[in-house]
Every structure is written in structure tokens, then in C-alpha cells.
Amino acid sequence: MSKSLTLNKIALRNITRRYARSLFLGGLVALLAFVLTGGSLLVSSLRSGTESMAARLGADALIVPAGYERSAEGALLRGEPSSFYLEPDLAERLSQVEGIAQVSPQLFIASMNSEHCDAIVQFIGFDPDTDFVVKPWLSQLLSGGLPKGQIVIGSRIDGKPGQELNFFGRKYTVAAKLEETGMGFDTSVFTDLETSRIALADYISFGGENAPPDADGVASVLTVNIRQGYDSNQFSRNVNYGFRKEGVGVVFPKTMISNVSGNLASLIGVTVALMVLLWVLAAGVLTVLFSVTVNERKREFGVYRALGAPQRYLSRLILTESLAVSAAGAVIGTALITLVYFLFSDLIGLSIDAPYLRPAGGVTALVITGGFALSLVIGPLAAAYSAGKIGRIATYAIMREGE
Amino acid sequence: MLNVQNLTKRYKRGDSSFAALDDVSLTLGGGEFAVISGHSGSGKSTLLNIIAGLLPADSGVVELDGKVITGLADNEISRIRNGQIGFIPQGHSVLANLTVLENICLPRWLYGNADGGGDYALSLLDGMGAANLAHQYPAQLSGGELRRVSVARALLGKPKLIIADEPTSDLDAGNAAAVMGLFAAAAKGGAAVLVVAHSEAGLDGVDCRRLQMSGGSLV
């Protein structure tokens, strides 16, 4: 006895019995799903990274030693460790520049690639009394503030709260670990200014590169909030002209963010345009392929007509077959890129010279679902033209042989 | 059973047109077996396709069991073709992706009838000496075996009317006689059987009404 064959079972049989054709069509959809979902994940990770960066670089301006503007950007954006310093009295005088509403020093120390340090990081010391940049988001982790002598580590640093890490030959207890930020903070260590000056003294004693003669009163960066309504260009001129002999530079994080955003907008635009183009091309190729396939099978469909299948049945059969092939391809392509994305997300982030942060779970799920859906619908959409005219073609094919 | 009145069908060829069917009328009672022969292009297949509802006529009427079936919507005529007409198109019409038994049961499954009539299908195959082919795929069958499968499929629903277009065209004499014998048996069972045949192959000793078509007319 033979089991009843429903339309779905017949469609499945047609797919499996013509496996070479089905594999090719499914493979094409899988490739599309891989690229579409992958591209969308990349775009959303870049957007997420930029948003994270904007949320954490809360100062209007950074005053750094002349020539170290790029180093400051590199340290903040990409976690490139660097050490640079403003003389103690210079930092003091700079804090008096006209236009400043808030100012707070930060000390940057590049860890050493030796047995004296457990990891290669950017050591950042901030002043808990005056800081307005680090404390707002650090307080979400440590409601009671950062205890003296302890550190907060970035997400990519090996270690966990309570553990001791060695920097410049001294043990520091990890008070907390940051969530991923997609920027240089992921490989940074935060501590209070006083503790960081102890670390700097150790750094000097080990003969660290570009070290100042003395750790007392030293800062690398002055984070500045400009007085409301005060022209930022005028502030920049105040700093540059007032301290031209000493040599200082001004970095505007908002400009930095907007430069990064601008570059990313172009990259995202090109990526999205390529994805749209790919989708349209794939839809075109699949439309032609389905059309050719249906044309090759018109005699087969004609037999269904002769047996009493209405035109609607044939359209449904074609759409069901195309949906099943699309679904298989979309599942494989989406699953594969999801696996790659989660397994190699850190590697991808490191290889991209831009803020890169895996978005929240819900957003990631939405992006993956969107990529899957766009790949899933392409089969039935591409087959719709053939499905629409199959009744006429099939009838003609079955009659033709007899004429 | 089958009443065809004044069927006309014209085809265009370039700027001119020609009559594939020219005022054709025909009646066929239940239990009657008729064979239409004629040259290629005489209109035989066009006549069968219009009777089966696959092709619209320019004018004229086809009645099946007292009901006019010309001009019906695709869904209606398809259901009639499925339930009341056993249509065997010209050439091989067995679906390659289904087994022999599935091919035979397929017409019933098309309208969601879970009972594909498998027992009856097996008995039909058995009657044709082909029961051993039930679970084979068509690629493994000979031309004669494939044709018998087509006939078994047409007989499954015990249709009122069986239409076959050149069912013996590529068969040897033995297989052609066997197939015509199946039609004769179906007619004896009460069905009206209308067959188009290019030659007399398989008709020796078969009791049937002989009709001739030429230039779109029955002569």
C-alpha cells in the first residue's frame, strides 16, 4: 500500500529526487543568507560600537602634549597603549585656560611587554574628585566608587573581580570588569589617579619608554568640558596660542566621533548598497533559473493538468518547492554566519579599524531574523512569475505533442 | 454519455487562420468504444483536448452525462477531468519522481482524498500482469510498461469517459494489442472510450466503432 502524497510531500519528493538542481538553488540562497545576514551583523556591530564610543567619551575636549593627538585617539578608539605626559605645572596652568567649565586630569601608561605585567593594556588613571568622564558609567558597576589601589579592567583582559593582576611589578586587585565597549576601553585598566601615579613610579623605575623623570603631579590628558556658549574654536586658540612654547594640542572627541561616524556611514552605505544589489541580482538569477527549470518541467506539469490538477495546484506546487529550497538555504546560510559571528566576533572586531561592538541580544536576534526572512522570501518571489504562468504553459505542453 | 455538438476551433498561422475543427459533432454512449484515426494535423488531438476541457472551443458544446462542460471555469473543469474523465495524453505521461503505484493513485490525492485506492490500483496492475512494478520508479520501466501504467491510472477512478491520445504510437504489436484490450475491457465495464490512433495497431479483432478525421471534420 502507498501512503497518501499531499502537495507538500510531492514537492519534497521533487526536491529530493532532483538533488543536484535543488542543491544548486539552495546553495545560492544559502550564500545570499550568509552575505546578507553577515553584512547586517557587521553594520549593526559598527553602529553599536560607535554609539558605545559616543556614550563613553563624555568630554568636550582633550588637551594632550603636542604630537600626541593621534596617540590619544589610538588609545581611546583602538586600545593602542601609549605613554605621554604633560609637565605637572603645565597641567596646573592649562586648567586655568579661559572657556573651561570642568577639567580633570587623566594619566595614561602603556603596560610593558615583560614579566612585570600580566597583560598588554592601557593603564588609565582618573581623578575621582574632579572626573566627569569615567565615573558616570563606572558608577553603574561600582556604586560605592573604586576603592584606592584597586582596578577596573576592560572586557578583553583576562581576569575577574577579586583576582590580583600584576602591573609594573605590583599586584592590583580587580574590583570589577567592564562590559564590552567595542573601543579601546576593552583593553584598558582604570584606576584612581593616586594609584596610577604609583604605577607610573614603578614604570619609571623599570625604565619604561617615554617615561617622565618624576611621577608626582604628572598627567597625560586633561579632559575638559567647555563653558556653555563658549566657542570651541576660540577655546582651541586659547590653548594653542597660550601654550605654543610648551607645545600642547587639543582633541575634540565629538569631532573624533563624527569623523569615525562619517567614515562608518560611508562604509555602512557601501555595505548596504552591495547587499541590496546582491539581493536584486540573486532574485534576478533565481527568477531566470526557476523559469528555465519550470520550462524544462512543463511536460511534467502538463501531466498534472491532464490528471485534473487545476492551474492553482501547479502554482502552489512550484511555490512550495521554491519555499522549501529557500528555507533550507536560508537556514544553512543564516546558521553558518551566526556561528562564524559568535565564534570569531572578537577576531573580526580586532581586524576592523573602527569601534565594533556586538549589539544587544534582541538586536542581534532581530538582525539574524531579518537576514533569514529576506533570504527565505527570495525563492517564492523569484518563482512567482513562473508559478503565475505555469497553467498555460503546462496545458500547451501536454497538447503540443498531439498536434 | 458524451455528446459533442458543432465544435469549431480555428488557429492562426501568420496572417491567416485555419480550422483545426470544423463543425464536429459526435455522440458516444456508455460502454461504447470508438477509435478515431486520421493523418497528422487532421484535428484529432484538438478534439480530444477540447472534450477534456484543456482547450476552449471557438463554438460548439460538449456535454458529459447530460452536463455542458464547455466554458466552465478552470477549477470546475479540472475537477470534472479528475473525477469523471480518464485522460491519457500522448507520449509518456508517467511522473518520474513517483513510483508506479504513486503515479496510479495520484489523481485521487490531487483533491485531498487520503484513500488513493491503492488496493484497486494493485488489482489493476495485477490484471495487467504488472503487479511486480508497483514500487518501481518509471526510469526502470519499458515503453509498454509505462503505457500500461498510464492506462491503469486512467481507470483508477472508474471514470465515465476514457480519452486516450495515440496510446499505441510507440508500442510493438503485442503491447499495442494489450493496451487496446484494456480499453475494450473498460468499455465492457460501462465506460465510454474514445481513442485517437494514428494506425490500426492493436485493433485486430477489437470490437469498436471506427471514425475517420480529415481536415478538421469527422468523415
Side-chain angles (χ1 to χ4, degrees):
Chain A
M1 189 64 62
S2 199
K3 281 185 183 172
S4 168
L5 284 183
T6 59
L7 182 141
N8 289 348
K9 286 181 185 171
I10 291 173
L12 197 62
R13 181 76 68 84
N14 288 340
I15 289 167
T16 51
R17 294 275 299 172
R18 291 190 177 88
Y19 60 89
R21 186 191 66 201
S22 306
L23 272 178
F24 181 73
L25 291 172
L28 201 63
V29 177
L31 182 69
L32 178 74
F34 188 92
V35 175
L36 274 187
T37 312
S40 305
L41 285 171
L42 180 69
V43 165
S44 61
S45 298
L46 291 172
R47 279 196 174 133
S48 181
T50 312
E51 284 164 13
S52 163
M53 183 178 74
R56 282 171 173 78
L57 294 182
D60 290 338
L62 305 175
I63 302 176
V64 298
Y68 285 94
E69 292 89 343
R70 290 241 168 234
S71 299
E73 281 187 18
L76 295 171
L77 291 183
R78 298 179 290 278
E80 294 166 359
S82 51
S83 305
F84 47 88
Y85 304 99
L86 297 163
E87 293 299 325
D89 70 312
L90 182 61
E92 182 58 34
R93 283 190 289 132
L94 277 165
S95 62
Q96 308 301 319
V97 170
E98 191 191 333
I100 288 179
Q102 279 179 294
V103 61
S104 182
Q106 284 188 357
L107 182 60
F108 286 14
I109 318 166
S111 67
M112 307 173 94
N113 188 11
S114 72
E115 73 275 14
H116 306 304
C117 291
D118 282 347
I120 298 175
V121 301
Q122 177 72 62
F123 221 81
I124 300 177
F126 63 94
D127 182 359
D129 296 332
T130 57
D131 177 78
F132 55 92
V133 176
V134 178
K135 272 202 304 183
W137 48 266
L138 202 62
S139 63
Q140 292 168 11
L141 275 176
L142 295 164
S143 51
L146 177 60
K148 282 211 184 308
Q150 295 196 13
I151 56 174
V152 171
I153 60 172
S155 64
R156 286 193 185 148
I157 298 172
D158 271 345
K160 54 187 178 186
Q163 192 178 337
E164 286 194 326
L165 292 180
N166 175 25
F167 290 106
F168 317 109
R170 193 181 296 272
K171 299 276 187 191
Y172 295 93
T173 302
V174 177
K177 186 164 184 169
L178 288 175
E179 298 238 323
E180 197 176 358
T181 63
M183 53 188 286
F185 289 176
D186 291 338
T187 52
S188 296
V189 168
F190 295 87
T191 189
D192 63 276
L193 195 59
E194 202 178 316
T195 305
S196 67
R197 284 189 175 137
I198 295 169
L200 180 59
D202 294 335
Y203 180 74
I204 294 167
S205 70
F206 284 117
E209 194 180 331
N210 202 26
D214 192 348
D216 284 347
V218 170
S220 303
V221 172
L222 290 181
T223 56
V224 171
N225 262 352
I226 298 171
R227 208 166 61 217
Q228 198 166 6
Y230 198 87
D231 181 35
S232 58
N233 289 328
Q234 181 57 48
F235 171 75
S236 186
R237 280 195 292 274
N238 295 345
V239 173
N240 289 324
Y241 288 114
F243 296 85
R244 58 182 179 277
K245 279 185 188 166
E246 293 84 347
V248 290
V250 181
V251 176
F252 290 100
K254 280 176 188 161
T255 310
M256 201 163 86
I257 292 166
S258 91
N259 285 344
V260 171
S261 299
N263 292 338
L264 282 186
S266 309
L267 178 68
I268 288 169
V270 170
T271 308
V272 170
L274 283 175
M275 287 195 300
V276 170
L277 186 69
L278 178 74
W279 195 90
V280 171
L281 273 176
V285 169
L286 282 170
T287 301
V288 172
L289 284 176
F290 277 119
S291 186
V292 169
T293 305
V294 165
N295 199 45
E296 280 174 356
R297 295 172 62 192
K298 59 189 177 190
R299 169 82 191 163
E300 172 192 337
F301 292 121
V303 172
Y304 281 95
R305 289 286 286 152
L307 299 180
Q311 296 185 14
R312 196 178 52 194
Y313 183 95
L314 298 186
S315 301
R316 280 177 56 211
L317 185 62
I318 289 173
L319 290 175
T320 305
E321 284 183 24
S322 63
L323 181 67
V325 169
S326 256
V331 165
I332 291 169
T334 313
L336 212 59
I337 188 61
T338 303
L339 199 67
V340 168
Y341 179 69
F342 280 102
L343 283 180
F344 302 105
S345 191
D346 286 352
L347 204 64
I348 298 166
L350 287 174
S351 64
I352 294 176
D353 191 21
Y356 177 94
L357 178 65
R358 204 156 65 197
V363 175
T364 306
L366 200 67
V367 168
I368 292 170
T369 308
F372 174 79
L374 280 174
S375 311
L376 180 70
V377 298
I378 199 166
L381 277 180
Y385 173 71
S386 301
K389 62 174 190 171
I390 184 58
R392 192 168 41 82
I393 293 174
T395 308
Y396 185 70
I398 204 69
M399 293 187 314
R400 186 70 189 163
E401 216 162 322
E403 287 173 357
Chain B
M1 180 68 68
L2 176 67
N3 185 14
V4 175
Q5 291 297 320
N6 310 108
L7 278 189
T8 302
K9 181 72 182 176
R10 296 189 73 84
Y11 287 122
K12 279 193 172 177
R13 187 180 285 162
D15 292 336
S16 60
S17 69
F18 69 96
L21 289 183
D22 187 10
D23 199 29
V24 172
S25 296
L26 166 74
T27 54
L28 198 63
E32 196 173 357
F33 180 12
V35 176
I36 304 175
S37 55
H39 294 298
S40 293
S42 59
K44 309 183 296 293
S45 293
T46 301
L47 175 62
L48 292 197
N49 287 321
I50 290 175
I51 292 172
L54 286 168
L55 189 65
D58 291 343
S59 63
V61 169
V62 176
E63 269 182 32
L64 181 64
D65 213 17
K67 181 181 178 176
V68 175
I69 61 171
T70 36
L72 292 179
D74 181 63
N75 281 345
E76 290 176 276
I77 189 63
S78 294
R79 190 173 270 280
I80 288 172
R81 190 162 58 245
N82 177 265
Q84 297 182 43
I85 302 174
F87 183 43
I88 303 167
Q90 193 178 14
H92 295 309
S93 61
V94 182
L95 297 167
N97 297 331
L98 307 183
T99 65
V100 163
L101 190 56
E102 287 168 343
N103 260 287
I104 295 172
C105 296
L106 180 64
R108 296 182 73 141
W109 291 332
L110 286 177
Y111 284 87
N113 189 343
D115 175 18
D119 289 337
Y120 184 48
L122 283 172
S123 73
L124 283 169
L125 279 175
D126 195 33
M128 294 175 188
N132 59 322
L133 302 177
H135 300 291
Q136 305 283 315
Y137 278 94
Q140 298 160 299
L141 271 58
S142 69
E145 289 168 336
L146 286 170
R147 198 53 53 88
R148 273 181 268 182
V149 173
S150 301
V151 175
R153 187 172 58 195
L155 296 176
L156 183 79
K158 298 176 182 166
K160 292 171 181 167
L161 172 65
I162 295 168
I163 306 172
D165 193 354
E166 306 264 9
T168 57
S169 61
D170 51 357
L171 299 182
D172 57 42
N175 274 313
V179 168
M180 286 302 186
L182 291 170
F183 290 134
K188 277 185 184 153
V193 181
L194 182 60
V195 172
V196 158
H198 198 64
S199 67
E200 297 285 309
L203 288 173
D204 284 347
V206 175
D207 180 20
C208 63
R209 184 173 148 202
R210 310 287 179 96
L211 300 165
Q212 186 77 27
M213 270 197 95
S214 179
S217 300
L218 280 171
V219 292

